[in-house]
Structures are given as C-alpha cells and as structure tokens.
Amino acid sequence: MYIRTQRALAVGVSGLGAVQNHYSLLNRSSEESGILDYCKNNHIYFFAYMVLEQGALTGKYDTKHPFPAGSQRAEVYNPVLDKLEIMNKKLKEIADELHVSSAQIPVAYAIKKGTIPIVGVTKVNHVDDVLSTLNIKLTDKHIKELENTADHLNLNLIRMWEKKMD
C-alpha cells in the first residue's frame, strides 16, 4: 500500500484522502512499515479495522470461554487463547487503573497512535463505550507496557486476504 500510494501521488493522482488497514496491538505492521507515518505526514486519514481483533481483545474470550466452534474467529484465535489471556490481563490491569473497560483500551490505543478506529457494534452501550474512549488518556508508559506485552506474545494474526506490509 505504501509503495502504491507513493506511486499514485508521484504520477499526479490527487485527492487520496484515506487508507483502511488492519491495525491493532497485535498487528502493527502498518506502523512498522511506515504507512501510518506516511499517512500522518501527508494528511491522509488512516482508518484502522480489527482494533479489537474481532473480540479477542475484549476480555470476553479465553481458554475456558473460546470463540464458537466452526467460526472463522475460532480458527484464528482459539489456538492462541493462552497467549491472548496474557494480553487481556494487561488490558484489564490498565483499564482498572483508568476506571474503564478492557475493550476500551485497544480502541484508545489506536486513537493515541493516530488512527480512526472502525469498531463493529451490536448494542447501544457499545456505541457509548466507543465514544467514551475519546476521554481515555493513555500515557507513554501504558503504550510501552501494551506494546511490550504484545511483542512478547509473538503472534502472527495476518489474515489470508492481507499482504505483508513493506
């Protein structure tokens, strides 16, 4: 995406206003490849999808409460629920400190990193939760703790439709 975006701008394609990529604590490839910085530097909106990793970063699922068998989410996340429990424990620790829900922390993280999160909601209170993340003030210490925890899990959650960012 980064190289294609640069090429498009170089040949005079104007009006590129947004990109939409998978971005979460567990998939920061758009940041690592420079796409996120490129978007910031060129006033291009970066819409982040799967910031909650399809519910895996909400604290709702764990080894005792896996994703429903037979679902695509189960195929991806159930084999690594033990690792996700570690991430969710860190999310809960920070959420408790800030008096918010665990699911709000990954959304606040994505906002702090300069993205516009796309969050699927199924209930009115989910909308309220997402809106209230705008008031969450994650510190640099929180960011470092979250990223260190995620990095130590060494998960690869890139999906079949996604390409390696470079």
Side-chain angles (χ1 to χ4, degrees), residues 23 25 28 31 36-37 40 46 106-116 138 143 147:
Y23 182 81
L25 276 160
R28 300 190 313 272
E31 184 175 2
L36 188 54
D37 280 341
K40 286 179 192 175
F46 186 103
V107 178
Y109 171 84
I111 292 168
K112 174 91 171 170
K113 290 300 216 159
T115 76
I116 301 167
L138 293 176
I143 299 297
E147 290 178 348

Side-chain angles (χ1 to χ4, degrees), residues 54-124:
Q54 297 187 303
L57 296 180
T58 63
K60 180 178 178 180
Y61 302 99
D62 56 33
T63 53
K64 293 179 182 152
H65 306 94
F67 285 90
S71 69
Q72 185 183 38
R73 294 186 310 162
E75 289 177 28
V76 173
Y77 299 108
N78 283 353
V80 295
L81 283 174
D82 57 334
K83 290 183 175 185
L84 291 172
E85 285 177 347
I86 295 166
M87 187 77 242
N88 281 313
K89 181 180 176 188
K90 178 53 72 177
L91 291 170
K92 182 167 180 8
E93 178 184 306
I94 293 173
D96 287 349
E97 176 188 330
L98 299 175
H99 308 289
V100 298
S101 74
S102 294
Q104 290 174 296
I105 299 301
V107 178
Y109 171 84
I111 292 168
K112 174 91 171 170
K113 290 300 216 159
T115 76
I116 301 167
I118 300 170
V119 181
V121 298
T122 57
K123 299 178 179 142
V124 172

